[in-house]
Amino acid sequence: MSAVTITKDNFQQEVINSDKPVLLDFWASWCGPCKMVSPIIDEIADEVFTIKVGKINVDEQQQLAAEFKVMSIPTLAVIKGGVVVKKAVGAKSKADILEMLAE
């Protein structure tokens, strides 16, 4: 399954009401490290079926970025049952991201 674009309009349905853990990628088109992480996030979305993967453009979804207290990007957050259980800032390897999901 490919990554879902998350907005304030579909956040409740796609993230809070998700029956699977959700990996959120907070990114922006001008962010170099975000461009490095994006293909890894897409790979994980295509390979790991026990989670949902969402991408949030911080320029377009400033309210969501503020709610998650995103100060630097890329920021990755793992949501389970509507609660943030893991958060990481900066470019991460695929192994690091998969480890976030495993715990």
Side-chain angles (χ1 to χ4, degrees), residues 40-92:
I40 297 170
I41 297 295
D42 291 337
E43 273 181 37
I44 290 171
D46 291 337
E47 295 171 2
V48 182
F49 301 109
T50 56
I51 63 159
K52 181 184 285 188
V53 176
K55 292 187 172 192
I56 299 176
N57 182 321
V58 296
D59 288 335
E60 296 172 1
Q61 301 299 321
Q62 295 176 2
Q63 180 181 341
L64 285 176
E67 285 178 29
F68 280 85
K69 297 177 176 48
V70 173
M71 298 296 173
S72 298
I73 50 174
T75 291
L76 302 174
V78 179
I79 316 295
K80 290 183 182 175
V83 177
V84 177
V85 294
K86 289 271 183 199
K87 198 169 177 181
V89 178
K92 300 290 177 209

